[in-house]
Amino acid sequence: MTMEPRRILLTVTGGIAAYKVPELVRQLQREGHEVRCAITSAAARFVAPLSLQVLTGATVRQDLFDPSEEGEIDHIRLADWADLVIVAPATANVLGRMSHGLAEDLVGAVLLATQAPILVAPAMNVNMWNHPATQANLELLHAREVNFVGPGVGELACGWEGEGRMAEPEQIVAQVRVLLGSKSLVGETFLITAGGTSEPIDAVRSITNRSSGKMGFALAEAAVSRGAKVCLVAGVTALPTPAGVERVDVESALEMRDVVLAKLGSASIVIKAAAVADFRPEVREEKKIKKESLDPQAGLTLRLVENPDILAEISASKGSRLVVGFAAESEDVVQSALRKIKKKGCDLLVANDISRADAGFNVDTNSVYLVTPDGEVEEIPLLSKREIAAQILDRVEKLRNEKPC
Ligand code: C5P
C-alpha cells in the first residue's frame, strides 16, 4: 500500500528558514496529506500567513485569544485534529519552551496539548545550537520521544558556518514517511543494490550501464518508511541518500559483489535493482591510454571478460532469505523474464520494458511485471517509481508471509 493521506499540522517559529515552509507545504500535499499551519508572531515576520493560507486553503492559526480564529477551530481541537505535528523551522526558543512545557502562545499550547507524534526541524545559529542550554533541552525532548530531522551543517544565514541549517523540505518529507509509515517491515533487514556499475578501462575511462538508480533508491526509501533497516549499495548515481538508509558506494561489479557478500549475513531480504555490467575490460590500465600511442588504423581493441552474476550467486544459497531480481528487457518481456527467473533462481523478478519511453531508465515513472518462479505474472501499470516501489514491497511482504524467516 502507498501511504494513507494524513492530517499534518505544520507549526512555524521565527527563523529565516521559514522561507522554505511554503515549499514544505507543497511537498507534503503532493504526498496526499492535508496540511494546516499554525505560526508564532515571530514566524509571521519571515513568511506571509496569507501565502500559507492560500496554499493550505485553511485559516493560519496564530493568536490564542482571537475569538474568530478560536471559533473556527479552537487550539485543542487543532491539536487533536493532527495525526502528526511538525515544527519547522524550530528555533532555540521553541525548543526551550517545548522542553519546559510553556504554553503562552498558540504554538506552545498546541505542542503541549497534542497527543500526535511531533517532528522537529531545528534551525539556528551554530553557537545557539551548541549552547549547553539548547543541548540540555534537546536531551529532554529526545527522552520524551520527540522526533528530530537535521539540522544540517553548512553556511548559515547569520554568516557563521556549522551545524544549524534546517533540513531541506525533501528530508523532512522523508522523515514524515518514516513516522507515518505502516511499520509492516519492522524486524527485516534489506540489502538493496541500485545504479549502474562502472568498469574501468584506464585511469579516466570506463564502461557503464545506463541506470539512474531511481528505482532502487525508491525501494530503499519505501522499506525504511515501513520500519525496515536498509543497506543500499549504490553504483554510479547522482541521487541523494534517502533518510535513515545506510549507503555504501561502489563502482565496479567486482566491488559491488564484495560489498554485497560482506553485508549478506545480516540481510533477510535482498533486492538487486542495480544494472550490473555483464562484462569488464580484462586489463585496467593504471595510466590514461594516450591517443597518440595508438595506431589510428588499428584503433583500440578491448578484451572484455564476464563479471560474476551476483544475483545468481546469492540466490544459489539463499535459505530463508528472500531474493528479488530485476530484468530490463527490450522485447518479449514476460517470456524473457520467465526464463530469467529460472536461470537466476530468485524468489521474484521485476521485469520492465525498456523500449517504452515512459518506463525504465532515467524517468520517474515505470511499468513492470512481477514474475514468480512458478510462472505467475502480475502487471503493474504505469505509475511513479515510488508507487511501483510500494507495490513491489506489498508483494515482498506477501512472499515473506508465505516464506517466513
Ligand atoms: O542478466 P541480467 O543482467 O538481465 O539480470 C539482471 C538482474 O541480475 C538484476 O537484478 C541485476 O542486479 C542482477 N545482476 C547481477 N550480476 C550481474 C548481472 C546482473 O547481480 N553480473
Side-chain angles (χ1 to χ4, degrees):
M1 273 173 302
T2 43
M3 193 175 294
E4 294 280 310
R6 306 296 278 277
R7 295 188 293 213
I8 297 181
L9 176 62
L10 178 54
T11 60
V12 187
T13 65
I16 178 67
Y19 79 89
K20 294 182 185 169
V21 167
E23 177 55 26
L24 177 58
V25 171
R26 297 302 294 265
Q27 291 198 22
L28 291 167
Q29 289 172 327
R30 254 180 247 136
E31 301 266 307
H33 302 304
E34 187 183 346
V35 183
R36 287 183 171 225
C37 292
I39 67 176
T40 62
S41 51
R45 292 167 180 261
F46 292 99
V47 59
L50 190 58
S51 307
L52 301 179
Q53 182 175 315
V54 170
L55 286 174
T56 59
T59 304
V60 174
R61 293 294 324 264
Q62 188 177 337
D63 190 345
L64 193 51
F65 304 109
D66 182 313
S68 61
E69 275 188 28
E70 278 287 298
E72 203 175 308
I73 180 164
D74 69 71
H75 64 280
I76 300 298
R77 265 200 302 145
L78 186 62
D80 291 344
W81 169 87
D83 295 315
L84 173 73
V85 178
I86 301 177
V87 193
T91 57
N93 182 285
V94 82
L95 296 182
R97 295 200 289 127
M98 283 174 80
S99 61
H100 292 89
L102 301 181
E104 83 270 20
D105 70 352
L106 181 113
V107 166
V110 165
L111 288 169
L112 204 54
T114 190
Q115 299 281 299
I118 300 178
L119 174 63
V120 176
M124 66 196 74
N125 163 271
V126 57
N127 299 325
M128 290 170 90
W129 175 253
N130 287 330
H131 195 285
T134 304
Q135 291 300 315
N137 291 333
L138 287 170
E139 227 169 90
L140 281 172
L141 294 171
H142 277 296
R144 277 183 220 144
E145 297 191 354
V146 170
N147 306 281
F148 284 85
V149 53
V153 177
E155 206 181 307
L156 304 176
C158 54
W160 283 75
E161 285 257 341
E163 207 171 358
R165 282 176 68 89
M166 187 174 87
E168 293 303 323
E170 24 310 315
Q171 293 171 299
I172 299 175
V173 170
Q175 204 52 44
V176 169
R177 280 189 216 120
V178 173
L179 291 173
L180 296 179
S182 67
K183 309 284 176 283
S184 48
L185 286 168
V186 168
E188 300 287 0
T189 303
F190 278 69
L191 177 58
I192 300 177
T193 66
T197 64
S198 165
E199 310 299 325
I201 297 170
D202 66 11
V204 295
R205 303 179 180 97
S206 68
I207 299 173
T208 188
N209 267 7
R210 283 179 64 203
S211 166
S212 63
K214 285 180 179 170
M215 196 60 243
F217 275 60
L219 281 160
E221 192 176 274
V224 165
S225 74
R226 294 183 188 201
K229 275 180 139 178
V230 178
C231 175
L232 178 61
V233 184
V236 183
T237 167
L239 296 174
T241 312
V245 166
E246 178 204 348
R247 173 178 180 161
V248 184
D249 285 310
V250 296
E251 286 192 356
S252 66
L254 291 179
E255 274 180 49
M256 183 171 276
R257 176 178 177 272
D258 286 348
V259 175
V260 166
L261 295 184
K263 298 279 181 188
L264 196 59
S266 50
S268 55
I269 298 172
V270 182
I271 304 187
K272 289 232 66 242
V276 184
D278 289 320
F279 296 94
R280 66 176 184 281
E282 185 175 36
V283 178
R284 179 201 194 277
E285 298 296 339
E286 284 309 313
K287 298 213 166 95
K288 182 181 173 186
I289 301 169
K290 289 242 184 279
K291 213 162 51 179
E292 305 74 52
S293 69
L294 301 171
D295 172 355
Q297 299 307 317
L300 172 66
T301 303
L302 285 177
R303 195 182 131 71
L304 301 179
V305 292
E306 204 170 337
N307 271 326
D309 188 323
I310 312 167
L311 177 59
E313 187 176 346
I314 58 176
S315 296
S317 56
K318 60 182 155 58
S320 62
R321 188 176 294 126
L322 267 181
V323 180
V324 181
F326 270 70
E329 306 291 348
S330 53
E331 53 192 315
D332 245 352
V333 180
V334 172
Q335 286 314 314
S336 311
L338 286 167
R339 276 194 301 274
K340 192 161 281 181
I341 194 166
K342 291 246 154 43
K343 197 170 125 217
K344 302 271 187 177
C346 51
D347 299 290
L348 182 70
L349 194 79
V350 183
N352 54 12
D353 180 353
I354 53 166
S355 64
R356 291 175 62 146
D358 51 8
F361 305 128
N362 262 322
V363 286
D364 292 321
T365 51
N366 210 357
S367 154
V368 300
Y369 295 90
L370 301 185
V371 176
T372 61
D374 47 18
E376 210 186 302
V377 178
E378 181 191 347
E379 183 178 3
I380 303 184
L382 192 72
L383 289 169
S384 72
K385 285 188 174 166
R386 179 171 305 144
E387 287 166 310
I388 297 270
Q391 301 232 9
I392 294 171
L393 290 191
D394 286 350
R395 192 53 181 270
V396 164
E397 285 185 23
K398 221 168 118 203
L399 287 174
R400 171 51 88 221
N401 290 335
E402 291 161 11
K403 180 187 173 184
C405 272

